[in-house]
Amino acid sequence: MKVIEKYNDSLHNPYWKYQLGPETYEVKDTPLRVESIKKALRSDERFDFQVAKQFPERFIARLHPYHDYIRNTGLSLHNDDEEFYPDLFPGEGANLTKKVDSPLWGGIWCTDAVTPIMRKTYEVARASAETALTGAELLREGQEKTVYALCRPSGHHAGPRVFGGYCYFNNAATAAEYLLPEGRVAVVDIDYHHGNGTQEFFNEIKSVFTASIHCDPSNEYPYFWGYADEKGTGQAVGTNHNEPLPKDTSLEQYSAAVDRIIEKIRAFNPAYLIIAAGFDTHIDDPIGGFQLLTEDYISIGQQFKSLEIPTLVCQEGGYNVDNLGNCVKNFLLGLM
Ligand SMILES: [Zn+2]
């Protein structure tokens, strides 16, 4: 199986000063996550690493109206360690056509103060999206049946209006948009947190089926999205499916939710499947609250394999660096 790795190193490594406080350095989304995954996959010759290509900026720009804001704000910073947060978050009812004259007004484009902009954020987030695009291109050319894109930062909380939740550009949505001229696409999000950005991108687009299995948002991030009654709007009603599950969900319950989604994907009959794969569903994840074990990911991968659809896996969350690599490896082995 092809593994697409990013072409640049990870200089986006915030310490999340607003979320964690100035003295706290227990950052969960660290570059060590990528190292954990690479170590597990490099030890197995069934995985074949390939460096991501660069794509024209328009592939990212057309989906993300805030891409200039992220780039220009980064360029205005003076060193690689600096973290920038907007200080104004105009809510609904504000005049959103007003030009954003100051980086401080950037709350118009982001949901929270846990997604800082750093000098290299644009570059690193763009490379993450290009990792997914490279994988999508291999599928489109018919060279590969299953490709894994080792994306970081994650993308599934970044939407068509706002970025947030550690995510800047939506890697899976960018890949879906790229594949769409070739046929219908299904995007399934298996991160512990609902894929709100991905859902919003395709909420009114009937040629993309989106689904997410996640912890019930009534007591988990992202709180305002991810409920079972969100089914798409307008002509796309019926093309979104959410499976909010309770805390402490274990494999049996989880697999039943995967089966329900697989049935819906079969009925939708897409040309491509994209899996936004987070592993913060693991029992030992420091952020998540599900009970999945490292070996459980093999059978979850096998469930998706039964669809026999060309599949791109985009890395999302998963924060236990001791077992993340093996969780990813098991999932991919199940898909093989
Ligand atoms: Zn997550």
Side-chain angles (χ1 to χ4, degrees):
M1 183 189 293
K2 284 271 190 231
V3 173
I4 313 300
E5 60 179 325
K6 282 171 61 181
Y7 58 80
N8 65 4
D9 61 353
S10 203
L11 281 170
H12 170 77
N13 188 20
Y15 54 92
W16 281 286
K17 66 176 181 186
Y18 276 10
Q19 186 183 23
L20 301 175
E23 305 301 326
T24 310
Y25 292 93
E26 286 175 28
V27 169
K28 301 294 190 288
D29 180 18
T30 78
L32 291 173
R33 297 175 54 237
V34 173
E35 294 314 311
S36 168
I37 296 168
K38 283 186 180 173
K39 191 174 160 211
L41 301 186
R42 283 224 165 94
S43 67
D44 188 321
E45 60 190 19
R46 287 172 287 186
F47 297 102
D48 177 18
F49 278 76
Q50 177 175 328
V51 175
K53 282 174 48 176
Q54 290 181 277
F55 282 76
E57 190 175 51
R58 67 174 186 276
F59 285 88
I60 287 103
R62 69 185 177 192
L63 274 84
H64 305 96
Y66 41 77
H67 90 285
D68 272 341
Y69 171 73
I70 292 177
R71 183 185 51 210
N72 295 337
T73 301
L75 289 173
S76 74
L77 303 177
H78 300 293
N79 62 65
D80 286 345
D81 298 336
E82 201 174 332
E83 285 185 9
F84 180 85
Y85 297 86
D87 71 358
L88 181 70
F89 292 80
E92 202 174 347
N95 182 349
L96 300 180
T97 60
K98 166 84 180 137
K99 190 167 175 284
V100 178
D101 286 331
S102 160
L104 290 167
W105 301 355
I108 189 171
W109 281 315
C110 75
T111 54
D112 56 48
V114 302
T115 316
I117 295 171
M118 303 180 74
R119 196 145 79 159
K120 301 287 185 189
T121 297
Y122 175 80
E123 225 175 277
V124 170
R126 179 172 165 177
S128 188
E130 288 170 326
T131 305
L133 282 168
T134 303
E137 187 179 67
L138 290 177
L139 290 188
R140 198 188 64 176
E141 289 171 350
Q143 294 177 22
E144 303 290 331
K145 279 283 179 222
T146 312
V147 180
Y148 169 62
L150 210 182
C151 304
R152 181 182 175 272
S154 300
H156 69 152
H157 299 309
R161 301 175 299 114
V162 285
F163 62 95
Y166 302 176
C167 302
Y168 301 87
F169 301 137
N170 192 313
N171 309 313
T174 304
E177 182 80 10
Y178 177 87
L179 289 169
L180 208 44
E182 311 296 317
R184 305 204 298 180
V185 180
V187 188
V188 179
D189 192 304
I190 60 167
D191 189 275
Y192 176 73
H193 304 95
H194 175 248
N196 58 300
T198 314
Q199 176 177 306
E200 193 172 341
F201 264 113
F202 302 112
N203 210 34
E204 297 172 11
I205 297 178
K206 65 178 181 183
S207 49
V208 179
F209 176 79
T210 46
S212 181
I213 313 173
H214 48 268
C215 187
D216 185 346
S218 55
N219 57 9
E220 187 54 272
Y221 185 91
Y223 305 108
F224 296 95
W225 298 266
Y227 297 91
D229 62 355
E230 297 161 18
K231 295 179 182 297
T233 57
Q235 58 173 1
V237 169
T239 63
N240 184 64
H241 179 81
N242 283 327
E243 286 282 352
L245 301 177
K247 283 210 164 122
D248 294 330
T249 285
S250 57
L251 182 65
E252 195 182 349
Q253 234 172 330
Y254 195 89
S255 294
V258 173
D259 278 339
R260 289 191 288 274
I261 284 174
I262 282 176
E263 203 175 304
K264 291 199 171 281
I265 294 173
R266 278 215 176 89
F268 185 74
N269 193 25
Y272 298 100
L273 171 65
I274 297 175
I275 304 175
F279 298 86
D280 38 6
T281 47
H282 189 276
I283 188 168
D284 294 329
D285 191 89
I287 292 179
F290 283 175
Q291 304 277 319
L292 298 185
L293 308 175
T294 307
E295 58 267 30
D296 292 346
Y297 294 100
I298 298 176
S299 66
I300 297 167
Q302 285 167 339
Q303 285 181 279
F304 285 108
K305 186 195 177 337
S306 71
L307 283 164
E308 300 290 349
I309 299 171
T311 301
L312 173 68
V313 179
C314 295
Q315 181 63 43
E316 300 286 355
Y319 303 97
N320 184 323
V321 293
D322 295 331
N323 57 38
L324 175 60
N326 286 326
C327 294
V328 172
K329 182 175 162 180
N330 282 349
F331 181 69
L332 298 179
L333 289 177
L335 269 177
M336 271 183 186

